[in-house]
Amino acid sequence: MTRTRFAPSPTGYLHIGNLRTAIYAYAMAKHAGGDFILRIEDTDQERLVPEGVADIKNILTVFGLAWDEFYVQSERKAAGLYQAAAKRLVSDGHAFYCQCAAKNAKQEGFSSQLRDPCRDQGLTSGAVKLKVPAGETVSYHDFVLRKDVSWDTDAVYDATLLKSDGFPTYHLAAMTDDLAMHVTHVLRGHDWLPSTPIHLLVFKYLGGDRPEIGHLSDIQSSKGGKLSKRRDAVFVEQFLQDGFLPEALLNFVILLGWAPKDNRELFTLPEFVAAFDPGGFQKSNPLYSDKKLNWFNGHYIRQKTDTELTQLVKPFVKTDISLDKLTQIIAIAKERMAKLSDIDGIIKQAVVAPVSYDKALFTSDALVCLQSVLQVVKLSPFTDPDRVNEEFKQEIDRLRLKTGDFYMNLRVALTNSRFTPPITELGTAVIGKSETLHRIENALEYLKS
Ligand code: GLU
């Protein structure tokens, strides 16, 4: 039975790298008909954020990542599980008490000394550290990197397992839990690779079947180097607030570090579960691309019905507009939208007349184009866009105008922008005949002044 876990620390927002880990762990378990465990690693009290646990549950739910079992490490700590494991390691001779005043006795982190001075003092209280054996080799096969990795224990330091305040470090808590929860596959960030020899020793001394371990590649920023929260947009909540759909983000991160055998690009969560294969994990670091994410988002936006999309864009609408108008705009704008948040700019183009114009946006034949647009619109019922386009075409042919210029000047006259949804649709369905005439007249006045 395959059992995987997602083990976030509730430190605030979810990094897209962590979302990726969660999706992979979920798909790996579900593909095999196994269980996906959510385990909150909240024993580092300094990094906790109120509501952190609820936020994680909410965000996983948004992505459809339903967990089968749920654990919280602080509750397990209160039940004495980690203290008991640490005690057992000491009594078995694999760990020792330490009372160094040094930082590493109290906190997780690297000791400056490989072999701790308290190691052979036979102390009976204090922090608990791993008694790393001399001259052994520890190794494992990484199922993501698909290679054997080994270390000489002479290069592994006596890591802190239980701090003097009784709180376990990751090295103890996560290993104890992975064994107790019968986790079969651990998927985690590449950052954990250097600590893996410590974990292999802890697993061995605690006893039981240790999980297979796989370290995922680092997502690279288009600005170079690893994706960084100081420089790049990395938090899932931020992406959702910016108007990306969960379906798009999910599909996007699936392919940052995993690839199917064919060149397929579109995956919903159930499709990914069905197609999942650990052989698809990529060894090279994937490159984050805004363009790709926008592409996926546009794709999933266009999968929505107009009614669904109208509901989805509502939080992004800052302009006063009726639901009917909004639905009309959605129907016209859908093809062009990359993000849900694009909607407000499009609404403004439709409902707010330009207060001024940017001359450079018009083409050199703007006057003649707009004069003829004005004539056509005046004579047209201006309700059916196909009919209006036909009327425009006749005028363009009659006066031998350039079709591109004709429409560009209309677009600029109505919105002061060269980028709009299909302008005849917008004009007929949303702006309306009299307002269209009014805006064209204003633009002509501006061009003549
Ligand atoms: N709590 C760890 C983290 O947030 C979990 C790493 C793991 O999956 O083992 O990075």
Side-chain angles (χ1 to χ4, degrees):
M1 169 82 138
T2 300
R3 287 170 60 83
T4 64
R5 87 301 191 276
F6 176 52
S9 302
T11 53
Y13 294 135
L14 188 67
H15 191 287
I16 59 163
N18 288 340
L19 173 66
R20 182 185 63 161
T21 307
I23 297 169
Y24 289 163
Y26 174 88
M28 181 157 204
K30 295 297 146 188
H31 180 80
D35 290 330
F36 173 63
I37 298 166
L38 173 58
R39 182 172 80 215
I40 303 296
E41 303 207 324
D42 60 345
T43 60
D44 186 349
Q45 298 289 303
E46 282 164 26
R47 293 170 62 220
L48 295 190
V49 168
E51 304 301 315
V53 178
D55 290 346
I56 288 169
K57 286 180 157 181
N58 284 339
I59 205 92
L60 291 187
T61 306
V62 164
F63 287 89
L65 302 167
W67 52 95
D68 300 291
E69 293 169 29
F70 175 70
Y71 303 95
V72 180
Q73 281 187 335
S74 57
E75 291 169 7
R76 296 170 65 75
K77 187 228 164 220
L81 285 164
Y82 309 115
Q83 285 87 341
K87 260 202 182 119
R88 192 153 60 76
L89 290 174
V90 175
S91 63
D92 290 349
H94 297 307
F96 58 91
Y97 286 108
C98 167
Q99 289 175 4
C100 293
K103 182 173 179 254
N104 68 315
K106 297 204 175 123
Q107 293 176 12
E108 190 170 357
F110 278 89
S111 164
S112 54
Q113 281 161 295
L114 212 54
R115 295 294 159 248
D116 194 278
C118 297
R119 198 177 145 104
D120 298 309
Q121 305 225 336
L123 298 170
T124 53
S125 64
V128 176
K129 291 186 176 178
L130 181 66
K131 198 169 196 170
V132 175
E136 284 184 21
T137 301
V138 283
S139 55
Y140 80 110
H141 180 80
D142 194 296
F143 73 89
V144 169
L145 303 171
R146 293 187 289 279
K147 66 172 185 189
D148 294 330
V149 188
S150 55
W151 292 265
D152 184 333
T153 53
D154 288 341
V156 180
Y157 75 106
D158 293 342
T160 304
L161 301 178
L162 198 70
K163 292 180 270 181
S164 48
D165 60 6
F167 278 92
T169 62
Y170 171 83
H171 307 313
L172 179 66
M175 305 317 122
T176 303
D177 284 349
D178 285 341
L179 292 171
M181 294 167 192
H182 303 287
V183 169
T184 58
H185 295 82
V186 166
L187 274 165
R188 61 184 188 181
H190 193 253
D191 329 16
W192 288 110
L193 185 58
S195 312
T196 304
I198 296 165
H199 304 156
L200 293 169
L201 290 169
V202 174
F203 276 138
K204 180 169 135 191
Y205 299 148
L206 287 174
D209 290 332
R210 81 158 168 83
E212 299 290 317
I213 305 170
H215 290 101
L216 297 164
S217 51
D218 286 327
I219 304 171
Q220 300 294 111
S221 164
S222 54
K223 299 172 191 123
K226 197 170 143 176
L227 214 55
S228 127
K229 64 176 174 220
R230 271 174 294 279
R231 196 183 48 174
D232 306 292
V234 296
F235 294 116
V236 174
E237 290 83 351
Q238 224 176 333
F239 284 104
L240 297 175
Q241 278 161 19
D242 284 350
F244 289 99
L245 290 170
E247 297 92 320
L249 267 171
L250 179 114
N251 200 148
F252 174 69
V253 301
I254 281 173
L255 297 178
L256 285 176
W258 183 88
K261 286 203 184 72
D262 48 16
N263 285 331
R264 174 168 176 190
E265 284 205 297
L266 294 170
F267 290 93
T268 61
L269 185 60
E271 286 167 354
F272 179 52
V273 168
F276 182 82
D277 165 12
F281 283 124
Q282 307 283 286
K283 296 180 197 177
S284 56
N285 289 333
L287 183 65
Y288 172 95
S289 151
D290 274 328
K291 217 172 131 200
K292 194 81 202 176
L293 177 57
N294 284 335
W295 182 84
F296 278 120
N297 209 47
H299 170 81
Y300 285 102
I301 281 177
R302 285 180 270 290
Q303 301 293 105
K304 302 281 178 197
T305 65
D306 295 353
T307 318
E308 285 168 341
L309 203 51
T310 305
Q311 292 306 317
L312 286 167
V313 298
K314 268 190 182 167
F316 298 93
V317 177
K318 309 270 179 285
T319 316
D320 196 19
I321 187 173
S322 73
L323 198 61
D324 276 359
K325 267 242 152 84
L326 180 60
T327 314
Q328 280 176 331
I329 294 179
I330 284 290
I332 299 166
K334 199 168 162 182
E335 285 307 312
R336 290 201 55 121
M337 283 170 66
K339 291 193 257 176
L340 299 178
S341 50
D342 292 345
I343 193 65
D344 202 53
I346 297 173
I347 293 173
K348 288 210 172 77
Q349 290 185 334
V351 303
V352 185
V355 276
S356 66
Y357 286 103
D358 180 353
K359 186 141 202 178
L361 298 180
F362 290 101
T363 65
S364 56
D365 52 356
L367 262 181
V368 49
C369 287
L370 287 177
Q371 267 152 355
S372 51
V373 169
L374 189 69
Q375 291 321 308
V376 178
V377 176
K378 266 186 185 159
L379 296 175
S380 168
F382 205 62
T383 48
D384 172 7
D386 291 340
R387 173 156 170 203
V388 176
N389 279 329
E390 188 48 45
E391 291 160 354
F392 282 156
K393 188 175 178 302
Q394 284 169 17
E395 181 75 355
I396 289 166
D397 292 346
R398 191 174 68 81
L399 294 176
R400 296 176 193 277
L401 298 170
K402 290 188 194 130
T403 305
D405 286 3
F406 186 92
Y407 280 100
M408 187 56 79
N409 291 307
L410 174 58
R411 217 170 273 140
V412 177
L414 296 189
T415 67
N416 191 36
S417 167
R418 289 186 151 218
F419 303 97
T420 71
I423 197 65
T424 314
E425 268 95 327
L426 198 68
T428 51
V430 187
I431 302 178
K433 178 165 170 169
S434 68
E435 176 65 13
T436 298
L437 286 171
H438 182 65
R439 292 189 195 180
I440 298 168
E441 277 159 359
N442 279 350
L444 278 167
E445 222 165 276
Y446 168 83
L447 286 170
K448 285 179 195 157
S449 67

